[in-house]
Amino acid sequence: MAYLDAASTEPLHPAAREALLAALDVGWADPARLYGSARRARLLLDQARAEIAEVLGARPDELSFTTSGTQAVHLGVLGVSQARRRAGRHLVVSAVEHSSVLHAAGVHEGAGGSVQTIGVALSGRVDLPAFAEAVAAEGVAAAALQTANHEVGTLQPVAEAAEACRAAGVPLVVDAAQSAGRLPIPPGWSVLAASAHKWGGPAGVGVLAVRKGTRWRSPYPEDERELRRVPGYENVPAVVAAAAALRARAAESAAENARLSALVDRIRAEVPRRVPDVEVIGDPVDRLPHLVTFSCLYVDGEALLTELDKAGFAVSSGSSCTASTLRPSHVLEAMGVLTHGNVRVSLPRGIPEDDVDRFLTVLPDIVRRVRQRLGVQ
Amino acid sequence: MIWRKKSPEPPAEAPAPVVPPAALTIDALGRKCPIPIIMLAERVGEVPVGAVISVLADDPAAFTDIPAWCRLKSHQHVESYELPRGGWSIHVRRQY
């Protein structure tokens, strides 16, 4: 099986596996207690915090561990909007944010707040002038913008958006789940959210960083854990493994990014050459190094995924027939691109070049067969 | 509050929109994407260049995908009108 779905989850990095096994033995005790094994767990936890903070460009005391990237986003969006109730009740988000951002915005709206969604270009890049204008308006509590889109890979102008937010005195929540561990975090965030399993760490570790001076109040009941930002007992071994993976990724990223990006360029060039009626989606240059999405006309996404699975390729799709909601992806809709016949290919670290070549070899025939079944010549 | 271009159900009190006539109407109501687009692609040649085809569709994907098809195939998406019973009449002008 060729695994081409790293954007859903990156396979566990060998460095993380090794650290996890070691930390299960030495880091199991309660880091909030004062005896020897507990102090050891506390030390491991804080060391991991310092390491992850350094790679992400945060201070250790700004950073808390959550149970997922989704929880980090929920806490980030709701925590700043709650803390700034008196400044305003308006939230500004891009139309292509991860569903965790949009669902948190939905909760804010349900509590009497308002939400403004900023549209994107055909490339998926947010309309920056519209974003800047929206955050400069009266009564804005917070804004949210992703570093990179999870479905199409387009990078967002976070530094510029952060500058507009700073000028307006509005905190910016940055969802860095797809880029953390792969690309440097752009400057200017007030709250940062990320997820360890996307960079090769274990599942169950998210990162929430709240910049010094940013007002934030937990939407949850009070709890003493994680600098009072996240409730519940810390998973110290998993956090240690997450730090090991991030450290390893940061060391490898320059060489591996260039390799994966060249493979993505090959897919972007070859798919439309080999398959008729295909639209390659997302920004060709300002994009994540490992992710490419395309849509095939006259093809249903579910059939395409099933056929690719049979041929030994794991990919994902934003087409409606592959979603539990039976609606196409809100990202593809907002971009105004073809939503059916959609395939997202995201390359994990270390993928053999041969896997990509085989994918490019089998794809044309699979698309042709699916079209034939639908009666398309 | 996932962002959507338009609700597939028009508000109950909305007045029925005035849909201008089309040279050909393709009824794809109840059909899932990509079928409405396949029907459109098959029949676009049946009208003269410059004429308008109306595709009736209620799969939410069609609302995005028919304009995207027009862009890819260099035809013109004229307008999408909400139908009183749900779905849209999506108007496409044959350009060549």
Side-chain angles (χ1 to χ4, degrees), chain A residues 3 9-21 196-205 237-238 240-246 248-249 348-349:
Chain A
Y3 183 72
T9 191
E10 174 79 22
L12 194 66
H13 195 288
R17 185 188 169 79
E18 202 180 313
L20 181 63
L21 292 174
H197 77 99
K198 305 274 192 203
W199 70 59
V205 180
V240 169
L246 188 61
R249 283 308 285 260
R349 160 192 173 277

Side-chain angles (χ1 to χ4, degrees), chain A residues 97-160:
Chain A
E97 294 302 304
H98 187 263
S99 56
S100 58
V101 173
L102 300 179
H103 287 142
V107 169
H108 173 77
E109 211 168 28
S114 55
V115 178
Q116 187 177 355
T117 311
I118 308 299
V120 298
L122 201 57
S123 68
R125 185 182 151 104
V126 70
D127 180 345
L128 185 61
F131 193 94
E133 194 186 321
V135 298
E138 270 301 298
V140 177
L145 185 62
Q146 62 196 185
T147 52
N149 186 265
H150 50 295
E151 287 186 38
V152 302
T154 300
L155 300 182
Q156 300 293 356
V158 168
E160 294 88 334

